[in-house]
Amino acid sequence: MELDAVAQGVPLRRGAALPGPPPHSDQPWALADVTELKPGDLLLIGAACSVQFSGDRELRLRLVSVDARPTYHGWVWLAGYVLDAKGLAVDKRELYVQRAGLRVLRAAPVPGRSVRA
């Protein structure tokens, strides 16, 4: 198993992802897999993403794009709009974060699906 190799100091193959802890049913968010992120997702960017977002610097980001350029293992460039407490966009930012720390607050709606009941 790959995690056993990491514990023994053996590097993972290039492009392999380390799994994060599974989300718990009582959590209103889920850990994000960067391959599942899509424009429109609402993300919580906090201390688990990078120390620069700890404490009162935590922010909510409406995702616009995920940069496909290679980065250090486990890190990703995101572009999106920072939302205030009312859900209004107040700033456009590009962020470099650890993908294992991303939390999806609300996934983007699936195109073509009706949201009416």
Side-chain angles (χ1 to χ4, degrees), residues 37-43 61-65 79 104 106-109:
L37 295 176
K38 58 193 171 299
D41 285 350
L42 180 60
L43 305 174
L61 184 83
R62 175 71 62 196
L63 186 64
V64 172
S65 65
V104 177
R106 191 172 331 124

Side-chain angles (χ1 to χ4, degrees), residues 38-39 108-116:
K38 58 193 171 299
V110 176
R113 280 202 150 160
S114 175
V115 291
R116 296 180 200 169

Side-chain angles (χ1 to χ4, degrees), residues 2-3 6 12 16-20 73 99-100:
E2 290 183 352
L3 288 179
V6 172
L12 291 173
L18 291 175
H73 181 74
R99 63 183 175 193

